[in-house]
Amino acid sequence: MHTSDSAIDTHCPYCALQCGMRLRPEPGGATVAVEERTDFPVNRGALCGKGRTAPAVLSSRVRLTQPLVRTHAGQLEPATWEEALDAVAEGLARTGRTHGPDAVGVFGGGGLTNEKAYALGKFARVALRTSQIDYNGRFCMSSAAAAHQRAFGLDRGLPFPLADIPRTGCVILVGSNLAETMPPALRYLTELKAGGGTLIVIDPRRTRTAEQADLHLAPRPGTDLALALGLLHLIVAEGRVDEEFIAARTTGWEETRAAAMAHWPELVERITGIPVPRLREAVALFCAPESAMVLTARGPEQQSKGTDTVGAWINLCLATGRAGRPLSGYGCLTGQGNGQGGREHGQKADQLPGYRKLTDPAARAHVAEVWGVDPDSLPGPGRSAYELLDALGTDVKALLLMGSNPVVSAPRAAHIEDRIRSLDFLAVADVVLSETAALADVVLPVTQWAEETGTTTNLEGRVLLRRRAITPPPGVRSDLDVLHGLAARLGVEKGFPTEPEEVFEELRRASAGGPADYSGITYARIEAEQGVFWPCPQGPEGPEGPGGSEGSPGTERLFLDRFATDDGRARFVSVSHRDAAEVPDADYPLLLTTGRVVAQYQSGAQTRRVDELNAAAPGPFVELHPRLAARIGAVEGSPLAVTSRRGRAVAPARITDTIRVDTVFMPFHWPGEGRANTLTNPALDPTSRMPEFKVCAVRVEPA
């Protein structure tokens, strides 16, 4: 264990940077002080306000410290752990007996450690025998994952380390405001520019990130696909295609080129609102240096055509030879703390550990052998996240939920809240009494980052180790303890250990030979090497790694020799622009887009309990352009009503010229009347099943 005078080296509980930090237990041992950890290469000591204040959520003043069970009178009252676990096991078992195993659902979270995500997927399929499991990471980067798989045969957020970004020639950053969503990463863009590289930011708002750009393009929300196709058209028309790379390392170019040529610049200008000269400038900046990257985030991904949109940006990289080469490529900026690892090991509806497909007989046989069960006993794929939530109370009558708050975070949130309320039984395991936990029949108080050991996988595919620094309060147990206790009550006495390292050792075996192979990774290696990049297969003599001759060093950079497809070639995928699921009309003439602010995180369940963060970002708001404000009579700070076909939200006006006139923006961290996701559209991408959070039609008026 890395320690320094009793301090523990670990990682931040929030975003996918998983910044290194050092925790020093304070006198009494109930909480910790955060110190810089300059040796960790991702953040080099830098922390944002959320990371610095993370210990505030350890306080018994803001978090759960005892199980709660709903009484016949309808109130949540304290209970013993035995009473609470008995109630959960009985609720889940009764539903399964009465309505069949698929009437029981499981909903996980992208903040769960790899060990907990793995155990949760196993619990659903072995103890509950249900196919109905998915997680909130479906709302994070599933479109990028699907496009990655389609083009490259493998999905890892970044196929290269963050350290490569300042060394490339040009970065196109699409739909990311990382100055606010992951502030320590902004240094990679400032270092890029300091070294002579150029930055193009694509965002409907002139964010703090866009302020750093050499070129900022502000397209109409929902038109990123047309923009990428228009840039590819110009690359072809201007003779900037890398024909040698295309011939040697790709397939499918002819169809892709034909689709791009149907998106001529003037048409793209009409669709996106971006003038043709700016399109040409972007192409010139991207194609001038020898190396370049495209990085996307939720902007282009959280659309009903998100997979095709990301695919179009990948096509741009392939057509110019900017993939599978040093300092070049396409990458996705994963959002949630373990959004990458969370989907690799089995809490996603269609996947088994190691990023194996649930429909693959060989994958089922391998994992079933590790689990000691019959492959035929494993259920098939279930519903995706929104479809699972939408089925609550009808097809799915009981739900076990861990580490998620869909009452605030799901699209069409008022409808999802109604579905949750209609359940026969709901059990929630969480650190705090979130808006969703407050609706539960049983609430289980569980440990959090500083109180438990476990691994996460950051946006680079670097597997990291968080170490327990303090003892949790009495009355709090880990999620692994919860699953162990429930499995035993459901008749599965073995297979659900409570020690994280024991779970990780089983995960290694289950992932061996899969696309996300962790078999060569151990806790000792992670600590010794500042994280290990997957895939990392185990050598014939074991997982020794760089210090031993037989262990894999891990894979810091993917695709340099071949892509992960059967023939080693990347796949162009021909795509064409189509409108968002909703476009403005006379009743709903404006576009709404949503996102984050620097001081809050995701549904805000934890950060809204930190005084310093609330002082910086106390509540929701509606951002709109001065010309739109004048047209509707909006005044700075006065309440505005934003209405979509799904509901109405009210929040104060924030008037700024950094947003398009036809667009309004709301952050999504708050419940109540300012809940942005009351408005958002659950229209799903046909491939990734990602909802269209980023664009819907609304009207706006003084409340």
Side-chain angles (χ1 to χ4, degrees):
M1 183 185 300
H2 283 283
T3 62
S4 174
D5 300 325
S6 80
I8 308 297
D9 283 358
T10 189
H11 297 274
C12 178
Y14 291 115
C15 82
L17 283 180
Q18 288 297 280
C19 291
M21 57 168 58
R22 185 165 289 130
L23 300 182
R24 188 177 301 280
E26 295 193 322
T31 188
V32 291
V34 172
E35 299 176 351
E36 287 189 358
R37 182 179 159 195
T38 55
D39 62 318
F40 185 63
V42 171
N43 61 309
R44 290 174 269 166
L47 292 169
C48 74
K50 295 185 291 291
R52 284 188 296 97
T53 60
V57 187
L58 298 168
S59 168
S60 297
R61 182 176 63 85
V62 300
R63 56 94 60 87
L64 294 164
T65 56
Q66 57 187 336
L68 304 173
V69 174
R70 196 168 298 278
T71 66
H72 292 299
Q75 302 300 312
L76 284 172
E77 298 289 351
T80 68
W81 267 99
E82 299 310 304
E83 290 169 339
L85 290 174
D86 286 347
V88 176
E90 171 55 25
L92 300 179
R94 181 178 63 246
T95 302
R97 285 194 307 269
T98 306
H99 302 286
D102 278 358
V104 181
V106 176
F107 199 85
L112 300 181
T113 62
N114 290 319
E115 292 80 0
K116 292 191 283 190
Y118 171 84
L120 188 62
K122 181 181 180 182
F123 177 80
R125 295 177 175 111
V126 173
L128 296 174
R129 300 289 181 92
T130 182
S131 67
Q132 299 302 304
I133 175 171
D134 210 71
Y135 83 127
N136 63 16
R138 177 80 65 173
F139 300 158
C140 174
M141 57 172 291
S142 57
S143 292
H148 251 136
Q149 294 276 14
R150 207 160 67 173
F152 303 133
L154 184 69
D155 159 45
R156 197 181 83 186
L158 293 180
F160 40 72
L162 284 161
D164 283 359
I165 292 173
R167 300 166 58 210
T168 193
C170 177
V171 169
I172 299 181
L173 185 66
V174 191
S176 169
N177 181 19
L178 56 68
E180 298 202 51
T181 58
M182 42 182 69
L186 187 63
R187 71 182 343 159
Y188 291 102
L189 300 182
T190 57
E191 289 169 6
L192 165 78
K193 294 186 64 180
T198 54
L199 174 64
I200 301 169
V201 172
I202 296 168
D203 197 305
R205 305 163 64 222
R206 194 171 73 247
T207 63
R208 286 176 53 200
T209 309
E211 294 281 3
Q212 308 294 316
D214 297 284
L215 176 64
H216 170 219
L217 305 180
R220 195 166 178 257
T223 64
D224 307 85
L225 176 51
L227 175 56
L229 285 160
L231 297 180
L232 184 55
H233 177 110
L234 287 170
I235 283 167
V236 175
E238 295 176 6
R240 299 178 184 270
V241 171
D242 188 334
E243 301 284 1
E244 185 178 337
F245 176 87
I246 290 171
R249 300 200 59 189
T250 72
T251 64
W253 169 234
E254 292 304 321
E255 298 85 348
T256 296
R257 179 173 59 187
M261 297 319 286
H263 296 76
W264 59 95
E266 292 75 15
L267 172 65
V268 170
E269 178 178 322
R270 284 205 303 274
I271 294 170
T272 64
I274 296 174
V276 172
R278 305 277 276 180
L279 300 176
R280 294 189 186 280
E281 184 181 355
V283 166
L285 290 174
F286 183 67
C287 293
E290 288 186 10
S291 59
M293 297 173 178
V294 174
L295 305 177
T296 69
R298 305 303 79 75
E301 297 161 21
Q302 287 182 325
Q303 298 186 29
S304 59
K305 53 182 183 295
T307 303
D308 284 355
T309 301
V310 173
W313 290 104
I314 291 174
N315 288 343
L316 203 71
C317 293
L318 294 175
T320 54
R322 269 67 184 282
R325 287 176 169 171
L327 306 182
S328 286
Y330 163 77
C332 166
L333 299 173
T334 310
Q336 293 194 79
N338 198 29
Q340 181 70 53
R343 70 180 178 283
E344 293 167 2
H345 298 301
Q347 66 170 331
K348 201 172 173 203
D350 52 355
Q351 284 173 357
L352 287 170
Y355 226 142
R356 288 182 158 91
K357 292 181 179 177
L358 192 51
T359 52
D360 177 0
R364 293 169 67 87
H366 174 87
V367 173
E369 183 178 7
V370 174
W371 288 352
V373 300
D374 183 344
D376 292 337
S377 72
L378 297 177
R383 293 174 172 89
S384 71
Y386 180 79
E387 291 163 305
L388 174 56
L389 295 171
D390 190 39
L392 299 181
T394 53
D395 295 335
V396 178
K397 297 181 180 297
L399 184 69
L400 172 64
L401 186 146
M402 285 187 162
S404 186
N405 189 18
V407 164
V408 178
S409 63
R412 198 185 173 197
H415 169 73
I416 295 305
E417 181 176 343
D418 288 342
R419 300 316 320 140
I420 290 171
R421 290 179 182 274
S422 73
L423 283 163
D424 292 349
F425 182 80
L426 172 63
V428 174
D430 209 333
V431 172
V432 297
L433 190 68
S434 70
E435 287 72 23
T436 306
L439 304 180
D441 296 286
V442 181
V443 182
L444 303 173
V446 291
T447 51
Q448 53 181 310
W449 61 293
E451 301 163 347
E452 62 186 13
T453 293
T455 61
T456 61
T457 306
N458 81 344
L459 75 172
E460 306 166 295
R462 188 193 301 252
V463 185
L464 303 167
L465 183 63
R466 293 183 190 160
R467 280 289 191 188
R468 174 169 160 163
I470 57 172
T471 303
V476 173
R477 296 185 183 180
S478 78
D479 297 88
L480 296 179
D481 281 304
V482 168
L483 295 174
H484 174 84
L486 292 178
R489 286 165 171 78
L490 294 169
V492 183
E493 299 288 343
K494 295 182 178 179
F496 291 93
T498 60
E499 284 301 316
E501 192 164 8
E502 187 177 347
V503 178
F504 189 79
E505 288 301 304
E506 183 179 304
L507 182 159
R508 290 177 57 211
R509 298 198 306 276
S511 73
D517 190 334
Y518 282 35
S519 62
I521 304 175
T522 63
Y523 277 22
R525 277 196 65 183
I526 295 171
E527 285 200 304
E529 299 170 32
Q530 297 280 33
V532 181
F533 290 84
W534 72 261
C536 183
Q538 180 167 303
E541 303 301 322
E544 288 89 346
S549 60
E550 301 296 342
S552 165
T555 312
E556 195 171 11
R557 294 173 181 85
L558 297 170
F559 313 139
L560 295 181
D561 300 317
R562 69 189 309 276
F563 295 97
T565 54
D566 290 342
D567 61 6
R569 290 171 172 262
R571 307 275 188 261
F572 279 102
V573 178
S574 175
V575 295
S576 294
H577 176 70
R578 57 188 186 274
D579 281 334
E582 267 186 7
V583 294
D585 58 21
D587 294 325
Y588 302 95
L590 300 168
L591 291 166
L592 168 71
T593 193
T594 64
R596 284 167 49 187
V597 297
V598 67
Q600 301 288 354
Y601 183 71
Q602 306 300 69
S603 76
Q606 295 184 37
T607 52
R608 284 187 277 110
R609 287 166 167 80
V610 179
D611 292 341
E612 181 180 328
L613 300 179
N614 283 333
F621 57 86
V622 181
E623 188 176 282
L624 73 166
H625 193 277
R627 292 201 333 246
L628 174 59
R631 195 162 76 228
I632 66 172
V635 177
E636 177 74 23
S638 65
L640 285 183
V642 184
T643 307
S644 77
R645 288 177 175 85
R646 289 151 297 281
R648 179 177 186 264
V650 178
R654 182 173 293 182
I655 300 171
T656 173
D657 64 1
T658 60
I659 191 168
R660 289 176 56 98
V661 179
D662 59 2
T663 301
V664 295
F665 167 84
M666 290 186 71
F668 54 62
H669 309 290
W670 288 273
E673 70 171 6
R675 180 174 60 186
N677 278 319
T678 298
L679 308 166
T680 49
N681 191 354
L684 300 180
D685 179 286
T687 303
S688 68
R689 316 309 287 168
M690 166 74 87
E692 191 152 60
F693 286 99
K694 285 300 179 191
V695 52
C696 68
V698 296
R699 67 173 178 268
V700 181
E701 57 213 345

